Amino acid sequence: SSAKIKVDLDASTGVAVMWMQSPPVNSLSLDFLTEFAISLEKLEMDRSCRGLIITSTLPKVFSAGLDIMDMYGKSPEHCGEFWKAVQEMWLKLYGSNMVTIAAINGSSPAGGCLMSMACDYRIMADNPRYSIGLNETKLGIVAPFWFKDTMVNTVGHRTTEIALELGLLYTSPEALKIGLVDQLVPEEQVLTTATETMTKWLAIPDHARQITKSMMRKQTIDKLLANREADTHNFVSFITKDSIQRSLRMYLEMLKKRKA
Ligand code: CO8
């Protein structure tokens, strides 16, 4: 099938594993994000599902972040629709009632980092070749306020300030050191560790944990909800600028050259 996401729900434990399986790099395209939102919504409504682990079927890559091809040479209408899907992904995941764990078994730049940070807990493969971070400025673009807020909530203000201005990508040991991920394990143990960790989190009564999670995250979520239209408008007018389109083209060319 052409599904970009596969979900395995274990009825005995109430834990779902969401496999991102969109080669070559699990980029978050409009199609991917639409499928993601539908899958997440289904699990959220399913009272038998209490925990979600997100991981990748691809070697070396968790997610390459937003699909640049959805932002390059596209109409304002397309960009607007795309951006609403990005917002929806984050709103649903950051506000999920389920326990969410990112099993980061490869690189996770930009939107991939955002998706990871939106989870409750992050376990990453202990491999210095894998990196994670919000590298937007390196593409000549600016991480929106709610990307920034999510990172501040994860690693604090000063670390975020440096990370965002320089567009830093952290190797997995560096990411552990600044608290961008919570735990490193050998690659082949990422999923089993996520499953074990999930058991610990699910031992806490759901309602107490959910109210606490909401207490920690609600303000950040409400800020986007109150500014959603303006945020979409900002994105569209920014991304469709000639100068920004040029930056994206140069970045795409760099990606291709690096490969050769
Ligand atoms: N979107 C689209 N295509 C991509 C992307 C992407 N994000 N990433 C990689 N690709 C393409 C490559 O161009 C390449 O295409 P082709 O085969 O045609 O040459 C193919 O995928 C495979 O890529 P690589 O050969 O580079 O694969 P590697 O396994 O060597 O590396 C990496 C994987 C590490 C993920 C690497 O591809 C990479 O670093 N990608 C770029 C990641 C990135 O910088 N993403 C940023 C996206 S922007 C974002 O998420 C937030 C934007 C916020 C918007 C704010 C605006 C206001």
Side-chain angles (χ1 to χ4, degrees):
S1 97
S2 65
K4 297 177 189 311
I5 289 165
K6 181 167 67 88
V7 176
D8 291 328
L9 173 57
D10 183 333
S12 68
T13 59
V15 177
V17 178
M18 189 186 267
W19 298 92
M20 300 189 284
Q21 50 174 21
S22 182
V25 291
N26 285 331
S27 62
L28 309 176
S29 64
L30 180 55
D31 288 345
F32 183 103
L33 290 166
T34 304
E35 214 178 300
F36 181 88
I38 292 170
S39 302
L40 192 58
E41 186 72 19
K42 256 193 214 156
L43 296 172
E44 201 75 53
M45 307 288 277
D46 184 342
R47 301 207 41 186
S48 74
C49 181
R50 299 171 60 216
L52 171 66
I53 295 169
I54 302 178
T55 195
S56 164
T57 62
L58 309 179
K60 300 189 297 180
V61 183
F62 180 74
S63 167
L66 304 193
D67 194 315
I68 297 167
M69 302 317 290
D70 270 301
M71 306 187 274
Y72 179 69
K74 292 290 188 290
S75 69
E77 291 70 30
H78 180 92
C79 292
E81 204 193 334
F82 174 62
W83 196 248
K84 284 184 199 138
V86 178
Q87 292 173 334
E88 199 62 35
M89 178 270 283
W90 177 81
L91 287 168
K92 283 203 160 79
L93 193 56
Y94 203 54
S96 174
N97 272 323
M98 296 181 282
V99 174
T100 53
I101 296 180
I104 311 166
N105 52 346
S107 284
S108 195
C113 177
L114 180 75
M115 180 188 270
S116 303
M117 289 191 298
C119 292
D120 292 302
Y121 196 81
R122 286 158 287 287
I123 296 161
M124 189 167 183
D126 190 358
N127 184 337
R129 271 180 300 190
Y130 298 159
S131 63
I132 180 166
L134 295 180
N135 59 323
E136 277 78 359
T137 55
K138 288 227 177 82
L139 288 74
I141 58 181
V142 179
F145 71 87
W146 43 284
F147 285 49
K148 178 268 292 175
D149 289 343
T150 308
M151 187 159 189
V152 167
N153 293 351
T154 309
V155 299
H157 194 279
R158 179 59 183 153
T159 301
T160 302
E161 185 168 61
I162 295 172
L164 290 190
E165 290 197 33
L166 297 176
L168 293 181
L169 286 171
Y170 297 89
T171 65
S172 53
E174 291 166 347
L176 179 68
K177 204 167 152 202
I178 64 163
L180 183 54
V181 299
D182 299 297
Q183 198 177 344
L184 297 188
V185 296
E187 182 146 6
E188 63 281 5
Q189 288 167 30
V190 171
L191 191 58
T192 51
T193 307
T195 306
E196 286 160 17
T197 305
M198 184 61 82
T199 307
K200 267 196 290 185
W201 281 67
L202 290 181
I204 305 299
D206 277 335
H207 71 284
R209 183 192 47 74
Q210 286 162 353
I211 292 168
T212 304
K213 179 172 178 174
S214 166
M215 176 175 75
M216 296 301 292
R217 298 188 171 192
K218 188 173 186 301
Q219 257 194 330
T220 308
I221 289 172
D222 285 350
K223 197 166 135 197
L224 176 60
L225 288 176
N227 294 288
R228 215 172 157 176
E229 296 287 317
D231 181 62
T232 304
H233 181 81
N234 284 343
F235 171 78
V236 173
S237 62
F238 180 79
I239 209 74
T240 54
K241 279 192 173 74
D242 287 344
S243 58
I244 300 305
Q245 287 291 309
R246 261 198 306 279
S247 294
L248 289 179
R249 198 190 61 224
M250 283 166 56
Y251 188 76
L252 281 165
E253 282 167 6
M254 183 281 289
L255 277 179
K256 305 241 180 259
K257 269 200 205 114
R258 202 194 46 151
K259 198 174 166 179

